[in-house]
Amino acid sequence: MTDGRAAGITGASGFVGSALCRAFRADGVPVVAFTRDAARVSAAGVEARPYAISDVPELAGIGVLVHCAIATEGEHDDVVRRNVDGALALYRAASRAGIRFVFVSSLSAEGEASSAYAEQKRRIESLLGGDALIVRPGLIAGAGGLFQRLRATASRPVVPLIDGGRQTVQIVAIDDVCSAVRVALDARLAGAHNVVAPPPLTLRDVVVA
């Protein structure tokens, strides 16, 4: 999977990044966690290195670099610039070093969603070379991210739903996202791959469940 080298994970203290750290360690792969908060990723077999979204960190000893980090704070244009330029700089640095690059995108980037999040993911995808592996999860179910916030909202007596919650979503468990990344790496896949669990559900059905 990593040719004996470490797996580097950006955003390693976040929901998806921390799960990937655990998954690679469970496979016996050493992990380099790129994060602003080293104290949150301390674990056996995990080396923490400082990382800011607009910088290229030290990549020595890494065989695979999985980019999960995304900036959300600040002025919109500046956030977009940092996310797009940061991802492209990481990809180019990884390519020069012979490191396989994985970008954790979003299923929303495939369609015509106009949210700032989807547009940033779509723009980053368009700038990556054909050797990059792009993983597009649907709504990720687990103890974090949008799904956890949705669960908290669903516990209220009244849950407001746009358009009555008729819009469809595709869900995937966080463990399945991690498995998909590892399977794709083992198969030496490149290009964009959607990761979802059928069937699509309405948002109303998800909230009720």
Side-chain angles (χ1 to χ4, degrees), residues 9-23 33-42 51 66-70 104 140 142-146 148-149 174 178:
I9 315 290
T10 70
S13 60
F15 173 43
V16 176
S18 60
L20 282 166
C21 286
R22 293 190 298 271
F34 294 108
T35 177
R36 292 179 299 175
D37 189 357
R40 293 180 60 186
V41 296
S42 59
Y51 172 67
V66 186
H67 185 41
C68 304
I70 184 167
V104 179
I140 303 176
L146 177 60
Q148 186 175 39
R149 295 196 294 274
I174 182 62
C178 295

Side-chain angles (χ1 to χ4, degrees), residues 103-147:
F103 175 53
V104 179
S105 184
S106 166
L107 189 64
S108 63
E110 180 190 42
E112 299 178 355
S114 58
S115 69
Y117 181 78
E119 289 175 354
Q120 288 179 69
K121 294 289 191 180
R122 192 180 298 124
R123 187 171 169 189
I124 292 168
E125 285 190 16
S126 72
L127 295 171
L128 299 179
D131 59 331
L133 170 62
I134 299 168
V135 177
R136 295 181 182 142
L139 176 62
I140 303 176
L146 177 60
F147 188 83

Side-chain angles (χ1 to χ4, degrees), residues 191-208:
H193 302 269
N194 298 343
V195 183
V196 298
L201 303 170
T202 67
L203 185 58
R204 181 182 181 83
D205 286 341
V206 173
V207 169
V208 170

Side-chain angles (χ1 to χ4, degrees), residues 82-98:
R82 286 188 290 138
N83 282 328
V84 174
D85 291 353
L88 186 58
L90 269 184
Y91 165 69
R92 287 172 171 167
S95 294
R96 289 193 297 268

